[in-house]
Amino acid sequence: MSALRRKFGEDYQVVNTSRGTTYTPPAKKKRQRFVDKNGRCNVQHGNLGGETSRYLSDLFTTLVDLKWRWNLLIFILTYTIAWLVMASMWWVIAYIRGDLYRAHDASYTPCVANVYNFPSAFLFFIETEATIGYGYRYITEKCPEGIILFLFQSLLGSIVDAFLIGCMFIKMSQPKKRAETLMFSHNAVISQRDGKLCLMFRVGNLRNSHMVSAQIRCKLIKSRQTPEGEFLPLDQCELDVGFGTGADQLFLVSPLTICHEINPKSPFFDLSQRSLASEQFEIVVILEGIVETTGMTCQARTSYTEDEVLWGHRFLPVMSLEEGFFRVDYSQFHITFEVPSPPYSVKEQEEKMALPSPLTTPSLGNCKNRRDRVFSVDCIDTIEEQANKLPSKLQRMSSGKEDLQKKVLRMSPHNSEKACSTGDLPLKLQRISSVPNHRDVEERLHLKALKGNSEPMTQSTGDLQQKIQIIQSVGSRPEDNLPQARK
C-alpha cells in the first residue's frame, strides 16, 4: 500500500468492490485565494535586501500601518524612555553641582530646589512635563544650564506629543472599520437579465449614514499564457460593471445587485456551465466611497472564486414596502434560487443563431426574384420557338426588337423584375397568345399593364398594337397576315 501511494501520490485509494461500500472521492483541496472574503490581500514581500530603509524614510506611515499592539508598545516605550532620559539629565546636573549633598543647607542655593536623589529628579521632570506645578520643586536663577535644559525639555516634549498623539489619532480615525458595515453576498450568480447572460453579485450598507460618491470596480485574476509563450501569473483583467453608462456610480442606501453583461468583450464570453467546473479564476470586487461622517475615503474588498459562482441562480428580493417606509430584510441577503438559464456560453449561442436552419423557407423577395428570372428566360425561349414558326418576312421584321430585348434581359439579371414589367411585356403577350380566346388575351394584357412599374414604357402604343396583331396571327394561319401585293 505504501509503495502504491509513493507511486501514485497521496490521492491514491483502494476501492473495495464488495457490496455495502461506496467510493468516496478525495476532497478537493481549498486553493489559495489572492484576496480573502474580508478583503485582506494574501501577499507577503520578501528578500527586500537594503530596501527596508525606505520604511524609515516614511516613519509616520510605517507607524500608522502597524498593528494596534505594536503601536501601543511604541507609545508606552517612547514616553517612558523620554522621561527616564530627561530625569537622568536633571540628576546629572544636580550631581555635578553638588546639590545632592548640600540640599539641606539653608544658605546654599541649588539648581533645582528639593532634589536630593534620582526619584526626586524624576518627579521634578514629570511635574514640569505635565505642567502639574506642585510648587515644592522648582528651578532657581543660579543655574543657567538648568534653564537651557528646561527649554530643550519643553521643545522635545512638544515634538514627542505631536508625533505620538497624532499617530494614535490617525490610527483610531482610519475608516477601515467602516468597511465592516459594508456587506457583499457570499456567492455570485450567472443568469439572464433583459435577455442577456449576466454575472451578478449583491452589495449592501448596514449603516444609515451614506457612502458619498460610492464607486465599484471588478478585477478578474487569472493566469494565462500569451501567444508568444510568456506566462502571466495572476493576470488582472477589468470587468465592465457599467463604466460607460454610469452604473458603477452607486447610490447605496439599500442593497444593490451589481451586473456584468457577458458579451464578446467580456472575458467570460466562452464560459459555459460545463467549463465553469474546470476553470480557475478569482473575481476581486472593490467598493470605494467617502464616509459621510468623517469625510475620509473608505475601501471595502471581497472576492469570488469559481466555486462561489452559481450558474442559473438569482438573488431573492430583500425590499418590501411597509407603512410609510421601505424595509430591508438582511436575513435573505445571501439567499439565491434557481431559474431557467441556458447552459451554453454566449459564444456558442451566437454561433448557433448564426447557422442557417434547414427548416427555414426562402423569403418572399428571393422567391419573386428567382421566379422573375426563370420567367424571363422562359420568355426568351418562347420567343425563339414562336419566331421559328413565323414566315421569313415576319422574322426579319421582328428580329431587331427581339434581339434588343434579349440583350437587356441577359445583361441585367439583378433587375429582372423591371425587365419583365416593361421590356418583356410583348414577350409575355406572345405566351398569352397561345390561348384561343381573344377576350382573355385583352384582359390579361390590361392586367399586365396595370402591374408594371411607374417607369416609362419602352414600347409605344403603336408598337403594342402591332405586337397584338402578331400575337393574334400566331394563333391563326401565318398566311393571313402576309402583306397584300400591290396592284
Side-chain angles (χ1 to χ4, degrees), residues 153-376:
Q153 173 186 330
S154 300
L155 293 175
L156 182 62
S158 300
I159 293 174
V160 172
D161 290 343
F163 188 82
L164 292 181
I165 294 176
C167 180
M168 297 298 291
F169 176 77
I170 295 297
K171 184 71 175 179
M172 289 186 294
S173 62
Q174 273 188 331
K176 288 184 178 180
K177 295 301 179 182
R178 178 63 176 90
E180 299 292 336
T181 55
L182 296 174
M183 292 181 59
F184 296 94
S185 58
H186 291 162
N187 297 289
V189 299
I190 294 179
S191 60
Q192 284 189 328
R193 172 179 282 190
D194 297 331
K196 300 176 182 178
L197 200 64
C198 299
L199 170 71
M200 294 173 285
F201 58 91
R202 180 176 279 175
V203 60
N205 182 16
L206 297 179
R207 289 188 180 273
N208 292 328
S209 59
H210 301 167
M211 292 288 295
V212 182
S213 301
Q215 184 180 9
I216 195 162
R217 295 182 293 117
C218 292
K219 293 284 187 180
L220 176 65
I221 310 297
K222 184 179 179 181
S223 301
R224 69 181 183 91
Q225 189 172 3
T226 62
E228 295 80 11
E230 181 184 4
F231 180 72
L232 301 177
L234 302 178
D235 183 48
Q236 298 185 13
C237 177
E238 187 77 20
L239 293 181
D240 186 12
V241 288
F243 178 77
T245 60
D248 59 335
Q249 304 291 332
L250 307 181
F251 182 55
L252 198 59
V253 296
S254 62
L256 299 176
T257 301
I258 310 301
C259 178
H260 165 68
E261 179 184 344
I262 301 178
N263 50 29
K265 297 182 180 180
S266 172
F268 298 127
F269 181 57
D270 55 351
L271 181 67
S272 63
Q273 185 176 6
R274 179 178 297 179
S275 63
L276 179 61
S278 59
E279 288 285 342
Q280 285 190 358
F281 60 85
E282 186 173 349
I283 303 172
V284 178
V285 181
I286 304 171
L287 175 62
E288 294 179 340
I290 301 174
V291 181
E292 187 179 28
T293 54
T294 62
M296 302 184 70
T297 303
C298 174
Q299 184 181 95
R301 297 181 296 268
T302 190
S303 67
Y304 300 99
T305 59
E306 68 278 356
D307 299 332
E308 297 169 346
V309 178
L310 305 179
W311 189 284
H313 283 244
R314 188 179 297 166
F315 287 106
L316 200 65
V318 295
M319 293 287 294
S320 61
L321 179 60
E322 302 291 339
E323 186 176 355
F325 61 92
F326 293 93
R327 181 181 179 84
V328 180
D329 186 8
Y330 278 99
S331 63
Q332 301 177 353
F333 184 82
H334 304 285
I335 300 177
T336 63
F337 62 96
E338 294 187 7
V339 292
S341 299
Y344 309 105
S345 64
V346 178
K347 181 179 181 180
E348 293 174 350
Q349 295 180 23
E350 291 185 357
E351 291 177 353
K352 186 177 180 181
M353 293 176 62
L355 293 176
S357 177
L359 300 178
T360 57
T361 57
S363 60
L364 183 61
N366 295 335
C367 294
K368 186 175 181 181
N369 294 335
R370 186 182 301 175
R371 184 173 62 252
D372 292 341
R373 293 172 187 173
V374 173
F375 184 71
S376 301

Side-chain angles (χ1 to χ4, degrees), residues 380 401-412:
I380 296 175
K401 293 183 179 181
E402 290 174 356
D403 292 341
L404 179 62
Q405 293 166 359
K406 292 178 184 179
K407 292 180 180 179
V408 171
L409 286 174
R410 286 169 178 162
M411 292 176 63
S412 60

Side-chain angles (χ1 to χ4, degrees), residues 40-206:
R40 186 177 65 88
C41 298
N42 293 320
V43 178
Q44 293 184 359
H45 303 282
N47 297 327
L48 296 177
E51 303 297 330
T52 54
S53 60
R54 296 176 180 266
Y55 291 100
L56 297 179
S57 62
D58 190 10
L59 184 60
F60 185 81
T61 305
T62 303
L63 292 177
V64 172
D65 290 339
L66 292 177
K67 295 183 178 180
W68 269 107
R69 54 180 177 266
W70 296 110
N71 272 276
L72 293 176
L73 180 62
I74 293 174
F75 185 86
I76 295 172
L77 289 177
T78 302
Y79 272 106
T80 302
I81 293 173
W83 292 345
L84 291 174
V85 170
M86 295 304 299
S88 300
M89 295 178 69
W90 285 110
W91 180 83
V92 169
I93 292 176
Y95 178 79
I96 293 174
R97 289 175 57 89
D99 297 342
L100 300 178
Y101 305 104
R102 303 174 63 182
H104 298 283
D105 189 359
S107 62
Y108 179 75
T109 303
C111 182
V112 179
N114 300 320
V115 173
Y116 311 112
N117 48 24
F118 182 79
S120 60
F122 184 78
L123 289 175
F124 171 73
F125 170 77
I126 294 299
E127 293 175 9
T128 306
E129 182 66 23
T131 63
I132 297 175
Y134 291 118
Y136 182 70
R137 297 177 180 89
Y138 56 91
I139 188 172
T140 62
E141 69 279 1
K142 300 293 184 177
C143 183
E145 61 272 15
I147 297 174
I148 296 174
L149 182 60
F150 179 79
L151 295 176
F152 177 74
Q153 173 186 330
S154 300
L155 293 175
L156 182 62
S158 300
I159 293 174
V160 172
D161 290 343
F163 188 82
L164 292 181
I165 294 176
C167 180
M168 297 298 291
F169 176 77
I170 295 297
K171 184 71 175 179
M172 289 186 294
S173 62
Q174 273 188 331
K176 288 184 178 180
K177 295 301 179 182
R178 178 63 176 90
E180 299 292 336
T181 55
L182 296 174
M183 292 181 59
F184 296 94
S185 58
H186 291 162
N187 297 289
V189 299
I190 294 179
S191 60
Q192 284 189 328
R193 172 179 282 190
D194 297 331
K196 300 176 182 178
L197 200 64
C198 299
L199 170 71
M200 294 173 285
F201 58 91
R202 180 176 279 175
V203 60
N205 182 16
L206 297 179

